[in-house]
Amino acid sequence: MVRPIAKGDFKNVKADLTVTGAPKPDEYDWAYVIGGWYKEERYAFWDEHGNIISGEYEYNRPRKHFTIRKSKDGALERIDWFNECGYCHATYQL
């Protein structure tokens, strides 16, 4: 479900990047692509403080459509991925 991506390297992205509204491979310091096998695909990037942020892009695979997610106040969505998403959506066992 969580696959690494990097700035300029979107080989692990499943979305159709030719669709209007798609993220650009060199737009952020990308960290991970999340989901995308059946429904939605989201993209996380490194912020200036070293945090992994789930950003505004969401790809709807069945509809082949990108949505730009925004907060209630209209700003681009920025979610601290580790503290708000990752603890449920990713696990690690030794």
Side-chain angles (χ1 to χ4, degrees):
M1 175 164 221
V2 179
R3 301 172 309 280
I5 56 175
K7 190 169 188 173
D9 180 7
F10 267 26
K11 69 178 176 254
N12 282 331
V13 170
K14 302 293 182 198
D16 179 356
L17 296 173
T18 65
V19 174
T20 301
K24 309 273 186 290
D26 61 350
E27 185 171 357
Y28 291 111
D29 185 6
W30 297 108
Y32 297 103
V33 58
I34 304 144
W37 294 102
Y38 304 106
K39 291 184 182 180
E40 294 87 17
E41 183 169 89
R42 300 286 308 267
Y43 311 92
F45 60 89
W46 297 98
D47 73 3
E48 64 277 1
H49 305 291
N51 300 309
I52 295 178
I53 304 298
S54 178
E56 69 272 19
Y57 293 103
E58 181 175 88
Y59 182 67
N60 183 305
R61 189 173 176 91
R63 294 184 181 182
K64 297 181 180 8
H65 178 268
F66 274 96
T67 300
I68 303 299
R69 297 178 59 102
K70 296 188 177 183
S71 65
K72 289 180 183 178
D73 65 0
L76 294 177
E77 185 173 274
R78 298 286 187 266
I79 299 172
D80 179 332
W81 193 78
F82 275 120
N83 292 317
E84 297 184 44
C85 309
Y87 62 90
C88 287
H89 290 279
T91 60
Y92 179 75
Q93 278 186 312
L94 293 173

